[in-house]
Amino acid sequence: MSWKRICSLGDLQQDGLRQFDVDGIPIVLARFDDEVRAIPPACPHMEEPLAQSGLCSGGMLTCTKHLWQWDLRTGEERGDAEKPLLMYDVKLEGDDVHVFVEHELEYEYEEEDDDDD
Amino acid sequence: MPTRNAQTWREPPKGLRQGEWIDSRIYSDSEIFEEELSKVWKKCWIAVCHESELPEPYDFRTMTIAREPVIVTRGPDKKVRAFLNVCPHRGNMIEMRPSGSFKEGTPSGNPKHMTCMFHAWQFDMKGNCAYISREKEGYQDRLSRKDVGLRKLKCEVYFGGFVWVCLDDEMDMSVAEWGGQAFDCLQKAVDEEPLEVFHYHKAIIPCNYKLWHDTNSEFYHDYLHYHNRITGFNDEYFARKNSSYDNGHVVVGSFKVRYDQYKGFDSRADVSFPHMEENAWYMIDMFPGINFNLRGSALRCDLMTPLGPNEVMIEFRGLGLKSDTPEQREARIEHHNSIWGPFGRNLHEDLIAVSGQGGAMHEMAEPRRILHGRHENHTIHDEVGMRHFYDTWGKMMNRLPSDPTKPYAPPPDDLELEEPVARTA
């Protein structure tokens, strides 16, 4: 895996989130102004699909389920969020959006055990 | 024969003894019905569905046992678990769909969780509380998620992949121990390879649940079924025996069904279940209302949900082998539906009969005697299966089936219940 061209900047709406399949790896692109970030599709909190429940505004991403928020510039947590975003590297070449995909980035979710199994 | 007046109509016929009739109030009295839910239905293992109905992780199925909402889920570890389908917060029913998957999220919940739509509390497939909305704001550090998990129920997948649930934590037997030898006659046939549900329909009938179970436990009523008389009613048919087992279960022995004697039907031998003789037939009646019936190529299972003294929901499933080719499956479905489908030769006839019983034994009907007194050396038209069921019922309810106002008492010693005993006229 390596740099992959995903789409044109014009394919992404301002403050939009859009999910792509990159050789079997699901990736969400978020656009603010003329910048693009590439993140895994699930919220790090409880696996909510961000392409549906996420809201982008002024470079802030909010998962509308439980209001976890992140600064898209850095991926750092804001508000109620307790985990940062994982991010793929992105570069713009002219109008083309390229993402560096080496392997799928995934969050670790807590899984509790049964008390008696 | 003379007719009877009001008084003699209420008396049991001369010559029959306690245990050979029951009082119709056990089919119609609302107080007895409520007592049955707590003393019988909440105490026994109840088959609720088949594991092939929730094949993938995060699949679920909902049902009720004795009016308690129950949810069965399959975890990411593939294990099937059962919980009360009740939110620990404000008591809402968590999942209202009959079946589906939690893999995708719901409007107020996340993927892979059961979510109560009311206040968005979420639970994982193991019943742990995984999320409380605005937890810290409302509960500060006073309430731990660990203390508000779901109510887990005893649950086993057993006997050809059926899912069994028991509401009573004190139940000290496994399903295998509770069913005991009643399972033996079909165990090899249903456990050789995975089964799959291919047919489902349900009937809500105005009759007491026990009337349906009775119908599955006596074959004297084959006079109702033209098909069964034409394909049965030979020496082998009349020779097969009813066997009684602990905990109220009854097994009806096998014989070879002559399908070729009924126009439009033919042998089921090509798609027999494993280890079954061709065109063989077996019936297992599990207390208090679960029935397995294998006709060579198709397994039928009746699961009952009592809804009231004079109302029962019966869910009918047809099962084949998961490994069936499309042609085998098609044959099985035809075999199943032609006899047990809603337009088959058998099921609706039984449903009409028990509806008639329900019409005459409704909640306001006057009490009368229902006769269970046929003795034919435990063979097919002997009513020992029902007598055995009601003896177990009487013990669990501590009521005498022949007079439910009195406490349970065993029937006369020489009234055969367990051991086959020849009875001379």
Side-chain angles (χ1 to χ4, degrees):
Chain A
M1 289 282 191
S2 56
W3 287 102
K4 294 272 180 187
R5 182 192 177 278
I6 308 297
C7 63
S8 301
L9 190 60
D11 295 330
L12 303 174
Q13 290 186 345
Q14 194 58 252
D15 287 336
L17 293 159
R18 186 169 165 186
Q19 185 162 331
F20 293 88
D21 181 288
V22 184
D23 299 335
I25 296 177
I27 289 176
V28 167
L29 297 187
R31 177 178 173 182
F32 55 101
D33 300 325
D34 284 339
E35 291 197 53
V36 175
R37 294 292 182 272
I39 59 176
C43 176
H45 181 207
M46 292 180 74
E47 304 187 57
E48 187 63 18
L50 289 169
Q52 284 141 48
S53 301
L55 200 65
C56 256
S57 178
M60 290 282 283
L61 171 64
T62 304
C63 176
T64 56
K65 265 297 160 59
H66 303 132
L67 305 181
W68 280 29
Q69 291 183 306
W70 302 270
D71 185 335
L72 274 175
R73 272 169 274 270
T74 61
E76 285 172 1
E77 56 268 43
R78 295 279 184 270
D80 285 349
E82 292 170 14
K83 288 180 193 168
L85 290 178
L86 296 174
M87 286 184 158
Y88 297 92
D89 286 337
V90 176
K91 68 179 178 188
L92 290 170
E93 287 181 352
D95 198 37
D96 292 333
V97 180
H98 294 264
V99 174
F100 189 78
V101 185
E102 202 168 33
H103 56 83
E104 183 169 7
L105 301 180
E106 287 180 283
Y107 300 103
E108 279 184 23
Y109 298 97
E110 290 170 36
E111 176 105 356
E112 287 175 70
D113 284 331
D114 295 40
D115 42 7
D116 54 1
D117 283 356
Chain B
M1 297 298 282
T3 54
R4 290 188 279 171
N5 63 25
Q7 188 198 329
T8 53
W9 169 244
R10 275 196 290 274
E11 289 167 358
K14 291 188 179 71
L16 295 190
R17 298 176 300 161
Q18 184 213 314
E20 295 180 315
W21 72 80
I22 55 173
D23 185 307
S24 67
R25 281 173 291 181
I26 71 163
Y27 295 123
S28 60
D29 184 273
S30 55
E31 191 183 321
I32 291 174
F33 176 76
E34 293 304 322
E35 207 176 293
E36 283 180 291
L37 294 185
S38 55
K39 290 187 177 173
V40 175
W41 286 83
K42 288 186 179 179
K43 297 289 179 191
C44 293
W45 281 107
I46 306 295
V48 293
C49 65
H50 188 259
E51 60 99 16
S52 67
E53 296 168 70
L54 46 157
E56 300 297 324
Y58 305 105
D59 285 349
F60 70 85
R61 191 94 173 73
T62 60
M63 62 286 298
T64 64
I65 301 175
R67 295 211 188 92
E68 297 291 340
V70 172
I71 184 162
V72 173
T73 64
R74 190 182 287 276
D77 55 357
K78 285 264 186 184
K79 188 174 169 182
V80 173
R81 298 175 178 83
F83 310 96
L84 270 194
N85 183 13
V86 173
C87 183
H89 174 216
R90 292 272 296 281
N92 188 30
M93 196 186 294
I94 295 174
E95 181 54 59
M96 300 187 191
R97 293 170 288 177
S99 64
S101 169
F102 292 117
K103 195 153 191 197
E104 309 289 330
T106 50
S108 54
N110 298 104
K112 303 179 184 172
H113 290 82
M114 311 177 227
T115 302
C116 178
M117 68 178 347
F118 206 176
H119 304 96
W121 285 33
Q122 298 194 40
F123 307 88
D124 67 20
M125 296 301 110
K126 294 173 179 172
N128 300 301
C129 180
Y131 179 75
I132 295 176
S133 37
R134 290 175 58 78
E135 180 177 6
K136 285 220 160 47
E137 288 86 340
Y139 295 111
Q140 298 81 41
D141 294 317
R142 296 173 295 119
L143 180 75
S144 168
R145 274 188 273 141
K146 289 191 181 349
D147 296 322
V148 287
L150 296 184
R151 160 83 165 94
K152 188 173 185 177
L153 303 173
K154 288 179 91 74
C155 178
E156 284 187 37
V157 177
Y158 186 74
F159 191 65
F162 284 90
V163 179
W164 303 75
V165 174
C166 180
L167 293 185
D168 183 10
D169 285 353
E170 306 299 313
M171 165 59 86
D172 56 3
M173 287 178 275
S174 64
V175 178
E177 290 163 343
W178 176 76
Q181 292 172 299
F183 287 124
D184 287 357
C185 65
L186 289 181
Q187 194 110 43
K188 280 169 83 179
V190 300
D191 281 337
E192 174 72 21
E193 53 175 294
L195 307 185
E196 192 168 63
V197 172
F198 62 69
H199 173 89
Y200 176 92
H201 79 278
K202 66 184 174 188
I204 295 175
I205 302 294
C207 79
N208 186 274
Y209 77 89
K210 295 187 294 300
L211 292 169
W212 185 255
H213 199 69
D214 292 350
T215 299
N216 279 333
S217 308
E218 59 90 355
F219 286 83
Y220 189 36
H221 81 271
D222 270 337
Y223 285 101
L224 171 71
H225 300 305
Y226 175 72
H227 170 274
N228 290 7
R229 279 183 278 138
I230 293 295
T231 58
F233 274 26
N234 51 44
D235 288 349
E236 204 190 359
Y237 168 96
F238 285 106
R240 62 193 160 136
K241 293 227 171 181
N242 295 287
S243 311
S244 309
Y245 296 97
D246 287 349
N247 304 313
H249 314 310
V250 173
V251 168
V252 185
S254 183
F255 77 117
K256 188 184 263 191
V257 182
R258 307 278 161 77
Y259 291 102
D260 54 1
Q261 298 197 7
Y262 188 87
K263 196 181 173 195
F265 279 44
D266 50 27
S267 169
R268 274 75 170 121
D270 287 350
V271 279
S272 282
F273 264 54
H275 305 289
M276 284 284 283
E277 288 172 40
E278 52 183 58
N279 296 314
W281 181 105
Y282 277 102
M283 167 91 77
I284 306 175
D285 295 304
M286 307 291 297
F287 189 90
I290 302 148
N291 170 263
F292 301 100
N293 191 349
L294 184 53
R295 266 185 186 268
S297 58
L299 178 66
R300 163 183 152 198
C301 174
D302 302 1
L303 302 181
M304 279 196 277
T305 305
L307 301 175
N310 200 36
E311 189 171 46
V312 61
M313 177 173 79
I314 314 165
E315 295 176 283
F316 301 100
R317 286 166 170 83
L319 296 100
L321 304 180
K322 199 174 178 186
S323 65
D324 281 345
T325 63
E327 294 74 23
Q328 288 170 326
R329 182 60 60 90
E330 197 180 340
R332 260 186 238 291
I333 290 172
E334 192 198 323
H335 294 166
H336 175 275
N337 288 2
S338 58
I339 187 82
W340 288 325
F343 302 99
R345 273 318 320 235
N346 176 278
L347 207 56
H348 58 287
E349 295 172 342
D350 288 316
L351 291 170
I352 291 167
V354 297
S355 300
Q357 287 183 295
M361 284 185 268
H362 56 81
E363 287 177 70
M364 297 298 137
E366 62 175 19
R368 56 189 68 120
R369 312 278 177 178
I370 308 302
L371 306 185
H372 289 174
R374 290 183 63 84
H375 294 267
E376 293 188 62
N377 197 24
H378 288 214
T379 54
I380 193 66
H381 287 184
D382 190 313
E383 288 165 339
V384 65
M386 289 191 293
R387 290 194 293 275
H388 178 67
F389 177 97
Y390 286 102
D391 190 54
T392 303
W393 184 93
K395 282 179 200 154
M396 288 190 84
M397 293 285 287
N398 193 27
R399 286 184 188 264
L400 194 61
S402 59
D403 181 355
T405 62
K406 293 181 180 156
Y408 171 79
D413 283 345
D414 60 339
L415 183 68
E416 65 236 43
L417 281 175
E418 305 289 343
E419 296 299 319
V421 178
R423 188 184 168 96
T424 49

